Structures are given as C-alpha cells and as structure tokens.
Amino acid sequence: MAHSAVERRLSTIAASVEAALDGVLSLEAGAGETARPARLVEAMRYAMLGGGKRLRPALVVLTAEMLRADTAGALRAGLAVECVHGYSLIHDDLPAMDDDALRRGRPTLHRAFDEATAILAGDALLTLAFDLLAAPATHPDAQVRIGLVSELARAAGVGGMVGGQMLDLAAEGRFSGAPAEPQDEAAVLRLQAMKTGALIAAPIVMGAALGGATPEQRVALAAYGRALGAAFQVADDLLDVEGEAATVGKATGKDAAAGKATLVAALGVDGARRRLADLTAQAGDALSPFGADAEGLRDLARFVAERRA
Amino acid sequence: MAHSAVERRLSTIAASVEAALDGVLSLEAGAGETARPARLVEAMRYAMLGGGKRLRPALVVLTAEMLRADTAGALRAGLAVECVHGYSLIHDDLPAMDDDALRRGRPTLHRAFDEATAILAGDALLTLAFDLLAAPATHPDAQVRIGLVSELARAAGVGGMVGGQMLDLAAEGRFSGAPAEPQDEAAVLRLQAMKTGALIAAPIVMGAALGGATPEQRVALAAYGRALGAAFQVADDLLDVEGEAATVGKATGKDAAAGKATLVAALGVDGARRRLADLTAQAGDALSPFGADAEGLRDLARFVAERRA
C-alpha cells in the first residue's frame, strides 16, 4: 500500500470500529446483566466515540488479515484493545494522575462529567474488554479466545501498561517529593515499552493468534510489535516537542514542562529522529518472512513514524 | 457443618487465599511482563493481604467441592474474584467516591499511599483477575476458563458491580446536586443486586462451572447465589445500624448519614430482619436438589445472615 492507501485502509477500519463501539456501548442490558445506568453508558460513549486513529484495532485487523483470518472476529478483538486504551486515557487524565483538561481537543471525561463517573467509566471499559474477548463471536475456538485474554491482561497489567504509568509518575518525582530526575536511556526505554509499547505490541500478537500464526510467525510479529511500539512512542515524544497543539489535539510542550521521561530528553531531537528511522527499519525487517503479504503492516510502520498528530 | 464447623472451614480457606495471594502479588515479573514497579506491588499487597473473610473465594471453593471438583483450581478462580472485590473497595474508598479513611480498621489505600497509586493498584488488580482466570492452572479446559472470564466480566461490569456503584452515587444525589432521595424498595433491591449481589452470585456460578454442574444444577446454584447476595447485603445494612465500629472494622452509622439507599431505610429494622430470615430460607431451599452434599453451603448462608462483622 502506498502512504495514502494505508490512510484509506485506516479510515475504513476506524469507521468500522466507531460503528461497532456504538453498538457495544448500548443502554440495553446484555445477557446476565441487571441494568446499565444511563449516565455511566453516556460517559463511556463520550470517551470512546467521536474519532481517534483506532491504531490498536487496526493492528489486530491488519495482522489477522495478512494471515487470512476472519475480519469480524479481529475487529471485535480490536474493540477490546481499544476499550483498554480508552480506559487508560480516562484514568491517566484524572486530577490525581496527569490532571489533563483536554483530550483530542475536547474536555477530558472527568471535566465533561465528574471524577467519580470517570473512574467508574474507566473501570467499566477495562472490564468490558475481557467480556468482548470471551464471547464466541471473537473466535470459535475457546483456546484462541483465552489466549487473547491472557495476552491483553499481561500487556495491560502491573508488568505492562499500568506498571508503566506507575514508573512514569515515579520518574516525575511524584512519590519522592523530589523534583523529576533525568532518566537514562535504558530507564526511558523500559518505561515506554511498558506504558505504551505493550498495548501496541499486544494487538499484533492477538492478530497473530486469531490468524493461526506458526510459532516462527508469532516471534516475527512480536518483534515487529516491539519495534512499532517503540517507534510510536518516539514519534509521540517528537510531536510533543515539534507539533502544533491544534493538530495534535492536546497541549504540546507538556512533557518537558512536567519533566517527563522522554527519549527526546535522553537523546536530543536529532538523536530521537535517528532512533525513529532505525526502529522503522527494524519493524520492516521483522516482517521479511511474510514477503509481499506484509506490505500493509510495513506501510503502517512508516505511517506511524511520519504521523503529524 | 455446624456453625463453628463453617467458621473453621472458612478460616482454612482464608489462610489458603492469603498464602496464594502472597505468591501471586510478587515483585517478580511474570512471563510476558517487563518489570513490576515495587511501589505498585506494595500497594496491591497492602490492600489485599492481612486478613478479610475471603467469603467470595470460599464460595467458589465450597461450590466446586460440593461438585467434587479440584480445589486448587477453585482457589485460583476464587483469587480472581477476590482481586475484583479488592479493586472495587480501593476505588470506592477514593476521595472522589465514598472518601473513606478506614477499611478493616486500617487507613484506606489512598491514605496509606496516595491517590494515584490507589487508582493504579485497583486497575492492576482488576486486570490481574482475568490473567489468573486465563491460566491453565485454573482449569485444564479452555472452554471452562473462558466461561469464568465471561461470568466475572458480566458480574463486575457496567450492568453489574460498577453499574451498581454508579446507581449508589446517583441515589445519594451526587449527580443531580440535590440531596439524597428515599429510594423505594424495588430500586434498593436492584441497586444492591448489582453493587454487591453480582459479586456474591458470580463465584457460586463459577464454582458450578468448575465442577461441571448440569444445567439444572447451575440454575439451582444461581438461585442460591442471588438469595445469598441479597442476604449478605441486608445483613450489611443491619450491621451499619446495629454494629459496633470496633467489631465491624469501619465507621458505622455512615449509611444513614450519607442518605445511602439501604433496605433498612426502605423496610425499617424489623422489616429488614424478617427479609433476612426469608432470604436465608430461600437460599437453603434453592439447594434442595443437592441434599446432604449442600450442608456446607446451607450453613454458610446462615453464617452470612448471622455475622456480626
């Protein structure tokens, strides 16, 4: 796919994600549920609907499609990852965490609703993710579905995304009472691999599982996922330094102001740009066993590296 | 089992839960994890270790044992439910929610640590619950494990526990700005079935699944679970009115002060006591298909109704 072809494919997937989330985040109680409080569902919809790149669901779908797996099941697994991503943003934005007022150019959930509702909406989205994965519509084989649950739980938990957010707060000096300390490169890489990398790599591994990948293919796709996750974060750090708030949809320059542990702080802008090029090349190399079939994933890595928002 | 026999069995299970949690909540990164931040693990341990009745794990274990299923797997599934219970207490105690200072006679997690850590520890425990259920050690059959994931996610989500907490805050007038309004009995029952009942009933249904219960047995056990969940909450409401703070381990009289929607408020103390007796009888009746095998679960229902803390 050429660059614009990737963007077209991402747009199509994003539209499917939006429509599917609209259906899932419904006021109607599902099987085994008593009732769904309207305000809570509205808060979940506010946070989850109305756009977003939907990169994580796209990673499940594109990986599964490369392996000729069912797109509907992959989309559903992608919704689960998107719910985890959405919950993490809601909780990260809370006053006790990053205290952010804007997200994608709109008031954050706790500003638009209130803090209690935002905490509970995040909790409900995290829980919903596992409910979605568990249903037969995701994949007919229970063994595959339980593998997805396991993968997502590891990526999101104490040794993954949540652990990474904890390290991020610690790096800001939040728990020591001391000002933020410059983190060395190894510490920044570990923090970022956990906080954002894990939830970029997991949907690729999940797509591999849905597509019945061989062990060798899984190893290759996991390597692609790690490189892509790292590239995504470097691009994000660069955007915070170089981007315009209007394009990025949130305040920029915040990382430096907060003393955040970023790779730009550790390597400088030029060093970070070189690292980004290396990681994009690594991501492409990891896909070599798939030949031309991996063109979509290869273009996606370039797209992630070059994104402006 | 006589009353003291139930208590002895509960103590044994509680000791097993404590030991198993101690192992699971470890600083050592598990397979597929990068690292576990020490402060986050310490917070999870503070919240989860050091006692508690461990009623929910006991429900999984006693139900599974009645059906002659493997105790080790049931204990593991019970840990998952206990992690969900623990996370819900951490988040409910937060300043933006119930703003509680004490839990089981100790400072709540956000007081002992800080608010950001408490939010993330809750998130990590909820995620860990599904990780625990997904592992083969819980049950060799993936179909059974995915059923456990589904059951727990439904019980904990927007149409279950989290939804119930939302209704509880709404009943206090939190979102309207108006003072709390007296809730009618039907509204209180629905709220309580969601907020606490769902996570009492779910472990019983999970124990049934682990024990390979027939559809008829599952229906009977689900009915037992609903009655027991309701009885538990009525007993809790009565304790808040009649109990001593020192015995209960948290402030009492808080419900009335907060205008909480309780069955004591809707039915009065005597009405609530009669309801509790009815529910205990219902729970016993639901177990009739199991005859003498269900003696443990029957005694447990009586123990729950009569508990003083």
Side-chain angles (χ1 to χ4, degrees):
Chain A
M1 286 191 267
H3 200 133
S4 61
V6 186
E7 288 180 274
R8 277 198 302 276
R9 186 75 188 99
L10 285 176
S11 293
T12 312
I13 295 171
S16 303
V17 169
E18 188 85 13
L21 281 173
D22 183 43
V24 164
L25 298 172
S26 144
L27 269 173
E28 206 177 319
E33 294 182 341
T34 307
R36 296 181 170 192
R39 183 180 174 86
L40 185 56
V41 173
E42 280 158 24
M44 294 164 80
R45 294 178 64 87
Y46 177 90
M48 295 300 296
L49 300 178
K53 290 182 293 292
R54 312 302 190 185
L55 174 64
R56 291 158 193 81
L59 290 171
V60 186
V61 169
L62 291 176
T63 306
E65 281 182 349
M66 180 181 77
L67 299 167
R68 291 166 177 76
D70 174 51
T71 302
L75 181 66
R76 207 179 150 85
L79 293 190
V81 184
E82 191 70 2
C83 285
V84 171
H85 176 55
Y87 119 76
S88 76
L89 299 180
I90 295 170
H91 283 190
D92 283 3
D93 286 340
L94 286 169
M97 308 272 272
D98 294 348
D99 196 15
D100 271 309
L102 282 181
R103 166 75 59 191
R104 286 192 204 119
R106 295 186 310 163
T108 47
L109 188 60
H110 65 274
R111 296 269 181 132
F113 286 70
D114 64 278
E115 220 179 307
T117 301
I119 294 168
L120 291 174
D123 293 345
L125 285 168
L126 173 56
T127 310
L128 176 61
F130 294 104
D131 195 18
L132 287 170
L133 292 182
T138 301
H139 194 280
D141 185 348
Q143 188 76 49
V144 171
R145 302 204 302 282
I146 207 75
L148 301 179
V149 168
S150 190
E151 181 63 31
L152 188 57
R154 298 296 171 94
V158 62
M161 186 186 73
V162 167
Q165 172 66 359
M166 191 74 190
L167 292 179
D168 207 14
L169 294 172
E172 287 177 46
R174 183 78 78 95
F175 307 124
S176 60
E181 284 188 22
Q183 302 279 304
D184 67 21
E185 188 189 330
V188 173
L189 288 177
R190 191 182 68 153
L191 187 165
Q192 294 187 339
M194 289 168 71
K195 186 176 175 182
T196 54
L199 215 62
I200 301 279
I204 295 161
V205 175
M206 290 165 74
L210 287 165
T214 64
E216 294 74 18
Q217 289 178 323
R218 285 192 193 220
V219 169
L221 286 166
Y224 168 75
R226 280 192 302 273
L228 187 71
F232 178 85
Q233 188 58 53
V234 181
D236 214 55
D237 288 353
L238 282 164
L239 271 175
D240 185 74
V241 175
E242 301 178 321
E244 300 285 331
T247 315
V248 181
K250 60 182 178 184
T252 53
K254 278 196 65 177
D255 293 352
K260 283 257 181 202
T262 77
L263 219 56
V264 175
L267 301 180
V269 168
D270 288 343
R273 279 213 201 95
R274 278 193 300 274
R275 175 65 55 89
L276 181 54
D278 286 350
L279 287 166
T280 313
Q282 272 176 40
D285 290 348
L287 295 171
S288 56
F290 301 98
D293 286 349
E295 208 186 328
L297 289 180
R298 222 172 270 121
D299 287 345
L300 186 71
R302 280 194 289 269
F303 173 77
V304 161
E306 290 162 17
R307 75 201 168 88
R308 306 306 307 157
Chain B
M1 284 191 268
H3 200 130
S4 61
V6 185
E7 286 179 276
R8 277 199 301 275
R9 186 76 187 98
L10 285 176
S11 292
T12 312
I13 295 172
S16 304
V17 168
E18 188 84 12
L21 280 172
D22 183 43
V24 165
L25 298 172
S26 143
L27 269 174
E28 206 177 319
E33 294 182 340
T34 306
R36 296 182 169 191
R39 184 181 173 85
L40 186 56
V41 173
E42 279 159 23
M44 294 164 79
R45 294 177 64 87
Y46 177 90
M48 295 300 297
L49 300 178
K53 289 180 296 290
R54 313 299 190 187
L55 173 64
R56 291 158 193 79
L59 290 170
V60 185
V61 169
L62 291 177
T63 306
E65 280 182 351
M66 180 181 76
L67 300 167
R68 292 166 176 74
D70 173 52
T71 302
L75 181 67
R76 207 181 150 85
L79 292 190
V81 185
E82 192 69 3
C83 285
V84 171
H85 176 56
Y87 118 76
S88 78
L89 299 180
I90 294 169
H91 282 191
D92 284 5
D93 285 342
L94 286 168
M97 308 273 273
D98 294 350
D99 196 15
D100 272 309
L102 281 181
R103 164 77 58 192
R104 286 194 204 118
R106 295 187 308 162
T108 47
L109 188 60
H110 65 274
R111 297 268 183 133
F113 286 70
D114 65 279
E115 219 179 310
T117 300
I119 294 168
L120 292 174
D123 293 346
L125 286 168
L126 173 55
T127 310
L128 175 61
F130 294 104
D131 196 17
L132 288 169
L133 291 182
T138 301
H139 194 281
D141 184 349
Q143 188 76 49
V144 170
R145 301 203 303 279
I146 206 75
L148 301 179
V149 168
S150 192
E151 181 63 31
L152 188 57
R154 297 298 171 90
V158 62
M161 186 186 72
V162 167
Q165 171 68 358
M166 191 74 190
L167 292 179
D168 207 13
L169 294 172
E172 287 177 45
R174 183 77 76 95
F175 307 124
S176 61
E181 285 188 23
Q183 303 277 303
D184 67 21
E185 186 189 331
V188 173
L189 288 177
R190 190 182 67 152
L191 188 165
Q192 294 187 338
M194 290 168 71
K195 186 175 174 181
T196 51
L199 214 62
I200 300 279
I204 296 160
V205 174
M206 290 165 73
L210 286 165
T214 64
E216 293 74 20
Q217 288 177 322
R218 284 191 194 218
V219 169
L221 286 166
Y224 167 75
R226 281 192 301 274
L228 187 71
F232 178 85
Q233 188 57 55
V234 180
D236 214 53
D237 289 353
L238 281 165
L239 271 175
D240 186 74
V241 176
E242 302 178 322
E244 300 286 331
T247 315
V248 181
K250 59 182 178 185
T252 52
K254 277 197 65 176
D255 294 351
K260 283 258 183 201
T262 75
L263 218 56
V264 174
L267 301 179
V269 168
D270 288 344
R273 279 213 201 95
R274 278 193 299 274
R275 175 64 56 88
L276 181 54
D278 286 351
L279 287 166
T280 312
Q282 272 176 42
D285 290 349
L287 295 171
S288 57
F290 302 97
D293 286 349
E295 207 185 331
L297 289 180
R298 222 174 270 119
D299 288 342
L300 186 71
R302 280 193 289 269
F303 173 77
V304 161
E306 290 162 19
R307 73 201 170 89
R308 305 307 308 157

